[in-house]
Amino acid sequence: MKNPKKEREKNFPADPYRFPFNQTEIKEYEIVGYSNSSVEPEIYKIEFRPAGESRLGPRITVEMNIKTKKALKVYMQADA
């Protein structure tokens, strides 16, 4: 979003589910959930949706190491 329009990634965040994501305006997001596993307890998946929008529809997921405070992966998922 900070790069000039011609230099922006065409599909940001990452696209592991082949769900296209093209956001050209800055929106405010809210956390709608999170999870982790016993296999990797320090890795959390934190889910976001645009603030004030329906609980249905696509969400952005950030996989984050809570010990190092670094994002490992950012992607968009479609709700089924």
Side-chain angles (χ1 to χ4, degrees):
M1 294 292 296
K2 293 179 184 178
N3 292 340
K5 197 169 189 174
K6 292 181 180 180
E7 295 177 22
R8 292 181 192 163
E9 291 290 329
K10 292 190 186 332
N11 198 23
F12 177 83
D15 188 16
Y17 299 104
R18 300 196 184 277
F19 186 80
F21 180 75
N22 293 311
Q23 181 173 321
T24 57
E25 61 186 56
I26 296 173
K27 292 184 177 183
E28 184 176 334
Y29 285 83
E30 61 186 357
I31 295 174
V32 294
Y34 65 91
S35 64
N36 72 334
S37 71
S38 59
V39 176
E40 295 180 303
E42 70 279 355
I43 306 298
Y44 273 65
K45 291 182 179 182
I46 306 167
E47 297 181 350
F48 297 85
R49 285 213 174 90
E53 289 191 15
S54 169
R55 296 283 182 210
L56 301 174
R59 64 191 183 277
I60 293 176
T61 302
V62 178
E63 289 185 19
M64 181 175 205
N65 185 315
I66 60 168
K67 289 186 178 179
T68 64
K69 299 179 183 175
K70 294 196 179 202
L72 305 172
K73 195 185 299 184
V74 179
Y75 52 92
M76 187 170 216
Q77 294 179 266
D79 280 350

